[in-house]
Every structure is written in structure tokens, then in C-alpha cells.
Amino acid sequence: MSQIFLNELEAILGKNYVLTSEGDTTPYLTDWRKRYTGKALAVLLPSNTQEVAAIVKACAKANIAIVPQGGHTGFCGGATPDASGKQVVLNLKRMNQVREIDASNQTISMEAGCILQAVQERAASEGFLFPLSLGAEGSCMIGGNLATNAGGTNVLRYGNTRDLCLGLEVVTAQGEIWNGLKGLRKDNTGYDLRDLFIGSEGTLGIITAAVMKLYPLPISQWTTLVATQDIASTIALLNLFQKRATSLLTGFEMMTQESLALNEKHFPQMRNPLQNNPPFTVLIELSDHESEEHVRQLLESILEEAFEGGMMSDAVIATNLSQANSFWHMREHITLAQAAEGANLKHDITVPLSALESFIQETDHLIRAQYPGVRIINFGHLGDGNLHYNIAPPEGVDAQAFNLAYEKPVHELVYGQVERCGGSISAEHGVGQLKLEGLRAHKGAVAHDLMKTLKRALDPQNILNPHKVVSI
Ligand code: FAD
Ligand code: MLT
Ligand code: ZN
């Protein structure tokens, strides 16, 4: 049966694009964090939408489950197959063409396998900003960004991936092609199918192409690192920037002392240019379309007001692009430092800004009291109320053993605080297989049952990424 099925796939894709040997498939079977490793009947590399549709039809006929995959940089194991060896991985990397830039409509239309950074560069070469930006941009793909509704560092100004998307092309679980590639900013013709597929992590359909928004490139950007002493003044600083800089505020990222200590341990060249290792280091970016002078003066005047108001103790303004880049690298290397340190317990949470201080104070207190010596690697997109509140074992303690013993109670403690504060247990990384358990409790029975109803309606055979997000 397997061989007949594989022959059918080879007839659709050509022999070279149906990978079955261990050497060929291994790179597609372990996630970025090395937390999940699966097996696959085959890894499939289609080159166009018609091939994707034909594969889905063949899989539906043979009742074979499909795991869609982009850059495989997701943090929740969504793109990793299970251990059965009966699923196929459908990697979209060969579908990497920008189809069109419509300058007058300010949109870009592209295939799902385009690497995010390549899209940013292509947009910039035509004088536009494609604002989605995240640490994995050199390898994650637009299809994966859409399927996870990725966030990143520009959400504060431009929104999540969902907010940037105007249209989709999707292959359904039945192998039909839905062409919803209209670049419209208004369209109220019934249920929003586009929004249904965005963030569905490959469980409702396979995204093969998208039309996304473009923006004018800013003519000037100023980046600064600011030292703050506590979370209350950090939030006061954010509110001041929101009030005075309004839409010119494009980044507001927070890093705690402990996060940067881990960075320096693994990347000694990433020293914090701020003196005396402040409790909180905030990376702030302003972007302007008027003039260099205008935004610099604005930044200096806001910093002056913040200093006089006791919200900050020190600041370093980047004087050139390379210094600004080094500030961003420092921020983005925290994830890499954590990976180098070994396994850690990740929490990608949001709470309303008004509850952030209470969340951090109480959760820090409980964690330190119950797990003495652990390192709280807390950093993230503070402007969005989104914290990467990660827990690393005490220095010198074996990470695997620590996680085995404490993963469940630590998650329960943190998620309990998230619920208390009216937050979400997944701000931007999604659910995948990591957060499958416990989603019902978090969403509530009604919402969870509605999700299952949708899954059953769109994928009654349960062949699209089964046991990710919801199990039916
Ligand atoms: P994959 O990991 O391949 O897949 C992710 C999910 O989408 C899976 O469930 C998969 O089945 C599904 N999928 C993939 N492609 C398709 C498709 N074409 N159709 C349907 N389903 C599909 N995330 C953030 O949100 N913000 C960040 O700031 C951020 N920073 C990161 C920094 C680093 C260093 C790393 C390694 C990751 C970071 N991430 C971040 C997580 C990750 O990069 C994002 O989730 C990204 O959107 C995943 O894209 P991908 O192409 O790698 O998707
Ligand atoms: C980031 O913002 O750098 C990633 O989403 C964070 C992480 O490593 O949790
Ligand atoms: Zn993030």
C-alpha cells in the first residue's frame, strides 16, 4: 500500500521531490528547539499550488495525514510529524516566488514558501516597507508566518501577520483550491475565510499564496537603549512614548538583567552598553517619514521628559546604523543564548498592560519562592503586553532533569497567573502540540467546542495536521 501511494506521489511531484531516505528526511523531522523529533513516510516538496492540491487528494484517498511545513522555526512542534512514521511532511520551500508588487495598491502577492527576509528585501528594493520582522526572518516562511499569525518586533505599529494580510490562496482538506487572493482593504461578503485560516497552524487548510500590505519606507529611524529600575516605570515610559510619539513608535522591547546576563555568558561580545547592568533595559525605536532632524529632536525631548519624571536612569542613542543593529542583535540573541544554555521552560504570554506589573511581581515572587535559584529569562515585546517569560534551571543543574521534574507545576503556576490577569497563554507562537493539553481549560468549553466544530466541518477526515491545536 505504501509503495503504491509513494508511486502516486512521485507521479505528481517527480521522483526527486518525494524524499524517503533517512539522510534526506532527517532535516525536516526535528523542530528548531530540538524538543520534538518525528518520523515521516515521506517529505514532499511541491513546486506549485496544483501539485499541493493533487497531493492532498492523494492523501485523502489513502487516508494519510499531512503535516504542512515552512521554515520549521516554530516553537510549539506544529510542523513536526508524530512518531508513527505514517504521516507525510509537506514542505513549501520550493514555492518561493514573489508573484507581483502592486505599487498603486501598496500590496505584494507571493507564494507561501517565500523566506520572510527575502520578502522584506524585495519590498525595500521597490521602495516599500514589509513590516513583519522577527528573529527567525532569515529562515521562516510567509506560509508559516500566516499559519502561526506571527508577531515580532513591529506589532506595536503595524499589527500581527493577520493585520498585514489581505488575501489568501488555500488548498482545502478535500484538495480544492480556494482563490481568495483579492488585495482589498474592505470586503464584507459574509464569513471571513481568510481570518479562519490565519493562525490555524496547518489544521484547516494549506496556505499556498498570499496578498499582503506594504507601507512606505520610513526615511529615518532612531534606536535607543534605556535603563529603567522597575516595571512600573517601564510601563510609564511606554505610555509616555505612546502619547508623545504616537504612530512614530515602532518598537518597544524589554530585557531583564537576568536575560542579558545569559546573553553575555554565551555571546560575550553582546555587552550591554548601558552602565551598571540595570534591572530593565528597554530597546525603543522611532520611525519617521518627515526628517531625520524631526525624529531625533522628538526622541531627545521624550527622553528628557522621562528622565525628569523619574521613569529612567540612563540612555544610549545609536549614532549610526551599525550601532542600532547591534542593539537589535542584543535583543534577538536572547533566544539563541537560551538555546545554547540548554532546554528551558518557555512561556509566550500576554496580559493587558494594566495588569503587567502585578503579573511580573507576583509570578516572580512565587517562582523564586518555590524554585530557588532558577533564572527567570523574562524579555519580550512589552509594547504589546507580550512577555517571553522563560524559566531556566539553576546554574549547574541538569536542564533535562529539571524540566522533567518541574515542567508541569511551573506551567501551571505561570498559566494560573496569566488567567488571574485576564491574559493569553499563547501571545504569538501558537499552540501546536506543545499547548494542546490544557487549551480547553484556557479557552473555555464553548470556545473550544466551536474550534472542534470548525475543524470537523473543514477537515472531517482529520488529515490536516491532526492532534495539533485541537484533537477531534
Ligand atoms: P513552521 O515552523 O514550519 O510551521 C509553523 C506552523 O505553521 C506549523 O503548525 C505548520 O504546520 C504550519 N504551517 C507552515 N506552513 C504552512 C502553510 N503554508 N500552510 C498551512 N500551515 C502551515 N514567532 C513570533 O511570532 N514572534 C517572534 O518574535 C519570533 N521570534 C523567533 C525567533 C527565533 C530565533 C526563532 C527560531 C523563532 C521565532 N519565532 C517567533 C517563532 C517562528 O519563527 C514563527 O512561529 C514563524 O511564524 C514560523 O514560521 P515557519 O515558516 O518556520 O513555520
Ligand atoms: C522573540 O521575540 O525573540 C521570540 O519570540 C522569543 C522566544 O525565544 O521565546
Ligand atoms: Zn517574540
Side-chain angles (χ1 to χ4, degrees), residues 75 331 335 338 346 379 381 388 390 428-429:
F75 284 141
R331 158 67 182 83
T335 305
Q338 284 184 108
K346 255 188 184 325
F379 66 102
H381 318 286
H388 297 306
N390 301 333
E428 51 174 24
H429 298 156

Side-chain angles (χ1 to χ4, degrees), residues 229-277:
Q229 297 304 313
D230 53 44
I231 193 68
S233 47
T234 312
I235 294 167
L237 184 72
L238 168 65
N239 291 153
L240 178 69
F241 267 90
Q242 285 170 321
K243 183 171 153 220
R244 299 250 345 248
T246 61
S247 62
L248 304 196
L249 178 63
T250 46
F252 198 99
E253 300 282 319
M254 180 276 283
M255 299 162 271
T256 57
Q257 204 172 52
E258 257 171 324
S259 313
L260 291 179
L262 194 66
N263 234 4
E264 280 191 29
K265 178 176 169 189
H266 293 282
F267 305 102
Q269 74 280 19
M270 300 263 158
R271 292 196 78 78
N272 189 348
L274 290 167
Q275 300 295 309
N276 306 322
N277 287 326

Side-chain angles (χ1 to χ4, degrees), residues 40-347:
L41 186 58
V43 174
L44 310 176
L45 305 173
S47 68
N48 61 51
T49 305
Q50 284 68 29
E51 287 182 358
V52 174
I55 291 169
V56 175
K57 282 192 170 142
C59 288
K61 196 172 77 183
N63 208 21
I64 298 285
I66 304 164
V67 180
Q69 190 179 83
H72 212 179
T73 65
F75 284 141
C76 301
T80 316
D82 68 16
S84 68
K86 292 180 180 160
Q87 304 185 323
V88 293
V89 170
L90 182 85
N91 186 293
L92 280 292
K93 71 178 183 185
R94 289 178 69 219
M95 294 180 59
N96 59 4
Q97 297 302 305
V98 169
R99 289 181 180 169
E100 187 195 13
I101 289 190
D102 182 340
S104 150
N105 199 36
Q106 307 222 342
T107 50
I108 181 167
S109 164
M110 68 205 126
E111 294 178 342
C114 287
I115 301 268
L116 173 55
Q117 193 176 335
V119 176
Q120 296 165 344
E121 287 169 2
R122 176 67 193 276
S125 75
E126 306 218 11
F128 288 106
L129 171 73
F130 182 66
L132 183 64
S133 177
L134 43 134
E137 62 200 22
S139 45
C140 65
M141 297 176 193
I142 290 297
N145 300 146
L146 285 157
T148 55
N149 184 26
T153 50
N154 276 330
V155 172
L156 187 61
R157 165 71 180 85
Y158 297 99
N160 295 295
T161 307
R162 182 187 302 284
D163 303 294
L164 300 172
C165 181
L166 296 175
L168 287 183
E169 179 186 81
V170 174
V171 172
T172 68
Q174 293 70 33
E176 303 296 332
I177 299 171
W178 171 53
N179 183 341
L181 285 174
K182 289 181 177 167
L184 303 176
R185 283 165 175 82
K186 287 188 162 183
D187 180 9
N188 277 347
T189 49
Y191 306 138
D192 198 327
L193 300 176
R194 176 195 63 201
D195 271 352
L196 200 57
F197 292 111
I198 296 173
S200 69
E201 300 180 51
T203 62
L204 299 181
I206 298 168
I207 299 167
T208 47
V211 186
M212 312 282 287
K213 291 180 195 169
L214 294 173
Y215 289 84
L217 269 176
I219 56 169
S220 178
Q221 283 188 312
W222 283 80
T223 313
T224 180
L225 288 176
V226 177
T228 61
Q229 297 304 313
D230 53 44
I231 193 68
S233 47
T234 312
I235 294 167
L237 184 72
L238 168 65
N239 291 153
L240 178 69
F241 267 90
Q242 285 170 321
K243 183 171 153 220
R244 299 250 345 248
T246 61
S247 62
L248 304 196
L249 178 63
T250 46
F252 198 99
E253 300 282 319
M254 180 276 283
M255 299 162 271
T256 57
Q257 204 172 52
E258 257 171 324
S259 313
L260 291 179
L262 194 66
N263 234 4
E264 280 191 29
K265 178 176 169 189
H266 293 282
F267 305 102
Q269 74 280 19
M270 300 263 158
R271 292 196 78 78
N272 189 348
L274 290 167
Q275 300 295 309
N276 306 322
N277 287 326
F280 295 90
T281 296
V282 188
L283 193 167
I284 302 169
E285 182 191 77
L286 297 189
S287 306
D288 193 25
H289 295 87
E290 198 176 313
S291 72
E292 185 114 345
E293 193 53 17
H294 172 255
V295 63
R296 190 180 53 77
Q297 278 176 6
L298 178 68
L299 175 62
E300 285 172 358
S301 125
I302 301 174
L303 290 175
E304 213 174 282
E305 188 179 334
F307 192 69
E308 281 163 10
M311 293 167 213
M312 54 170 271
S313 49
D314 192 10
V316 182
I317 300 178
T319 52
N320 53 50
L321 187 62
S322 121
Q323 201 182 9
N325 286 342
S326 74
F327 292 179
W328 278 109
H329 286 151
M330 189 170 93
R331 158 67 182 83
E332 278 158 7
H333 270 69
I334 300 173
T335 305
L336 307 182
Q338 284 184 108
E341 182 73 3
N344 60 83
L345 300 176
K346 255 188 184 325
H347 304 99

